[in-house]
């Protein structure tokens, strides 16, 4: 017994240490519970398989080329403009078309509508479209006293700010109606249009499309439409790609002024019939604030490079001396291109806003 005890003790020690080694060699995995039965094992196998499939690297997708918008001042350009919005439905339809075609436009929005539908206004600004003012309540500004007129424009500005966009410096007076105060004493740039589609009159997409397509040369034109009609949104869906196919760049009003007419819209200046009828394409495009003229490379402020391969129209100096048409004091009727058959020579009477919608 005395000889057996040390042997038994040694055997016990050996077995105990072997157990320790065994535990040390296989540390417990605390992240996964040990499988309890065959169904657990099958589950783990399935997971392992799935994991293996995910591990197979997929071929890298071709990165989509980001669209870079470049305006060439030497090439034809048109400014599409939309008044009287925003509209709860049709503004977004027009924006969808513009976005799809990488085109921009200018929206002359009414302050009360901006309050009602701020989202499309923010969207157009985010897209790079020009957000401009069409007054707060679409009243004839030429019939307001100066104080009321300024209050109206300021009220509209608060609506734009509430929508998350800047207060516009560009204004299109409702009905195109201006007087001396509207033209030169609001601290804003006033601008009208050169082509009137009269979409408000026909409310028919095909009529609007046919009219625009019938015009010979749209280079430098400002086309008037309204973003509150489904028919106009339908017309835009056809016209935007068609204009681009004809080689026109679709630009904002300020881009058109800078690149085609060679100046930025100035506060207390009016850009109406006299301006557009006496200015052709400039040979000195100016850059937008803080930008270079795309593709031309010169920094803002330096003399722009003369666009190649074009023969700029030389305005007749005598035309620059022409006095403003008398009717511009009180009326928005301007002899612009129009889809209608009405006599558009400068009218002597004030138009009836109920009849003349812009
Ligand atoms: Ni209007």
């Amino acid at each position: 017994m005395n000889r057996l005890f040390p042997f038994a003790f040694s055997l016990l020690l050996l077995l105990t240490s072997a157990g320790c080694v065994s535990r040390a060699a296989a540390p417990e995995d605390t992240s996964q519970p040990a499988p309890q039965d065959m169904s657990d094992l099958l589950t783990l196998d399935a997971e392992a398989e799935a994991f293996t499939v995910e591990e197979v690297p997929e071929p890298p997708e071709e990165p989509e080329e980001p669209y870079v918008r470049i305006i060439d001042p030497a090439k034809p350009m048109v400014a599409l403009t939309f008044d009287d919005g925003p509209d709860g439905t049709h503004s977004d339809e027009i924006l969808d078309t513009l976005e799809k075609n990488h085109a921009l436009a200018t929206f002359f929005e009414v302050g009360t509508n901006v309050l009602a539908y701020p989202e499309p206004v923010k969207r157009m600004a985010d897209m790079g479209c020009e957000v401009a003012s069409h007054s707060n309540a679409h009243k004839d500004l030429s019939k307001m006293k100066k104080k009321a007129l300024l209050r109206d424009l300021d009220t509209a500005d608060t609506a734009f700010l509430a929508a998350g966009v800047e207060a516009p410096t560009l204004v299109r007076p409702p009905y195109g109606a201006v007087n001396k105060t509207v033209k030169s004493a609001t601290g804003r740039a006033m601008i009208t249009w050169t082509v009137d589609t009269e979409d408000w009159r026909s409310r028919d997409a095909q009529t609007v499309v046919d009219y625009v397509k019938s015009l010979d040369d749209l280079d430098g034109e400002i086309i008037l439409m309204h973003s509150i009609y489904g028919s106009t949104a339908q017309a835009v869906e056809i016209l935007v790609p068609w204009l681009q196919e004809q080689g026109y760049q679709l630009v904002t009003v300020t881009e058109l002024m800078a690149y085609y007419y060679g100046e930025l819209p100035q506060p207390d200046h009016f850009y109406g019939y006299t301006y557009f009828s006496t200015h052709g394409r400039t040979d000195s495009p100016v850059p937008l604030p803080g930008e270079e003229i795309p593709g031309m490379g010169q920094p803002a402020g330096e003399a722009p490079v003369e666009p190649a391969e074009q023969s700029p129209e030389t305005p007749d100096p005598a035309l620059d001396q022409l006095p403003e048409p008398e009717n511009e004091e009180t009326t928005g009727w301007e002899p612009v291109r129009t889809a209608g058959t009405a006599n558009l020579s400068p009218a002597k009477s004030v138009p009836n806003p109920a009849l003349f919608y812009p």
Side-chain angles (χ1 to χ4, degrees), residues 82-86 108-110 113 134 138 226-229 357-358:
F82 299 93
D83 287 11
D84 294 3
F108 291 92
E109 307 289 51
V110 176
N113 293 343
H134 196 40
H138 207 279
H226 296 80
S227 54
I228 54 175
Y229 305 117
Y357 196 81

Side-chain angles (χ1 to χ4, degrees), residues 186-339:
T186 67
R188 278 94 164 166
M190 291 282 160
I191 198 158
T192 54
W193 57 89
T194 65
V195 173
D196 186 353
T197 61
E198 297 197 332
D199 57 339
W200 58 272
R201 191 194 293 269
S202 70
R203 312 244 180 131
D204 180 69
Q206 198 57 50
T207 302
V208 172
V209 168
D210 289 346
Y211 173 63
V212 174
K213 285 187 175 180
S214 75
L215 300 172
D216 289 336
D217 181 9
L218 290 167
D219 192 15
E221 304 277 9
I222 300 175
I223 300 179
L224 170 64
M225 287 182 272
H226 296 80
S227 54
I228 54 175
Y229 305 117
S231 53
T232 297
Q234 288 167 10
V236 167
E237 213 174 332
I238 299 166
L239 283 175
V240 165
W242 181 82
L243 285 165
Q244 290 174 325
E245 281 162 24
Q246 310 309 304
Y248 294 110
Q249 305 168 95
L250 297 183
V251 298
T252 67
V253 165
T254 294
E255 287 172 339
L256 186 78
M257 289 288 297
Y259 297 152
Y260 186 94
Y261 292 99
E263 67 173 310
L264 294 170
Q266 299 298 316
D268 295 330
H269 280 64
F270 175 64
Y271 303 91
Y273 169 68
T274 304
Y275 180 87
F276 294 117
S277 63
T278 55
H279 290 70
R281 181 191 283 280
T282 183
D283 56 2
S284 302
V286 299
L288 298 178
E291 292 188 6
E292 296 177 2
I293 290 184
M296 301 190 78
Q298 85 280 18
E302 288 187 18
V305 179
E306 191 167 306
E309 294 177 28
Q310 67 155 333
S311 48
E313 287 179 43
T314 309
D316 184 345
L319 287 175
D320 277 338
Q321 306 304 318
L322 284 178
E324 295 273 327
E326 281 176 28
N327 66 302
E328 289 202 354
E329 283 300 313
T330 52
T331 178
W333 264 118
E334 296 198 329
V336 297
R337 292 184 181 189
T338 176

Side-chain angles (χ1 to χ4, degrees), residues 47-274:
E47 278 173 7
E49 246 174 59
F51 184 70
T52 310
V53 170
E54 276 178 13
E55 278 291 279
V56 175
E58 288 180 15
E61 281 182 26
E62 286 289 318
E64 205 171 295
E65 288 283 319
Y67 178 76
V68 180
R69 184 168 176 272
I70 296 174
I71 306 295
D72 185 343
K75 290 185 177 167
M77 61 185 87
V78 172
L80 296 181
T81 66
F82 299 93
D83 287 11
D84 294 3
D87 179 89
T89 303
H90 306 309
S91 290
D92 273 318
E93 291 171 355
I94 293 168
L95 290 173
D96 288 345
T97 298
L98 294 173
E99 198 167 52
K100 188 173 146 195
N101 293 283
H102 301 298
L104 295 184
T106 302
F107 292 82
F108 291 92
E109 307 289 51
V110 176
T112 51
N113 293 343
V114 173
L115 272 187
Y117 303 108
E119 292 87 1
V121 178
K122 183 70 168 64
R123 182 186 170 196
M124 55 189 69
D126 289 345
M127 279 173 57
C129 286
E130 186 161 20
V131 178
S133 176
H134 196 40
S135 84
N136 188 57
H138 207 279
K139 289 180 181 162
D140 184 339
L141 303 182
S142 70
K143 290 181 178 160
M144 286 185 184
K145 293 207 183 316
K146 185 177 177 183
K147 203 173 167 184
L149 158 64
L150 293 179
R151 197 189 310 128
D152 179 278
L153 295 177
D154 287 346
T155 305
D157 286 353
T158 60
F160 286 104
L161 292 171
V165 302
E166 290 179 18
T169 54
L170 198 63
V171 177
R172 173 173 285 162
Y175 319 108
V178 290
N179 59 15
K180 195 168 271 183
T181 305
V182 174
K183 280 157 77 170
S184 60
T186 67
R188 278 94 164 166
M190 291 282 160
I191 198 158
T192 54
W193 57 89
T194 65
V195 173
D196 186 353
T197 61
E198 297 197 332
D199 57 339
W200 58 272
R201 191 194 293 269
S202 70
R203 312 244 180 131
D204 180 69
Q206 198 57 50
T207 302
V208 172
V209 168
D210 289 346
Y211 173 63
V212 174
K213 285 187 175 180
S214 75
L215 300 172
D216 289 336
D217 181 9
L218 290 167
D219 192 15
E221 304 277 9
I222 300 175
I223 300 179
L224 170 64
M225 287 182 272
H226 296 80
S227 54
I228 54 175
Y229 305 117
S231 53
T232 297
Q234 288 167 10
V236 167
E237 213 174 332
I238 299 166
L239 283 175
V240 165
W242 181 82
L243 285 165
Q244 290 174 325
E245 281 162 24
Q246 310 309 304
Y248 294 110
Q249 305 168 95
L250 297 183
V251 298
T252 67
V253 165
T254 294
E255 287 172 339
L256 186 78
M257 289 288 297
Y259 297 152
Y260 186 94
Y261 292 99
E263 67 173 310
L264 294 170
Q266 299 298 316
D268 295 330
H269 280 64
F270 175 64
Y271 303 91
Y273 169 68
T274 304

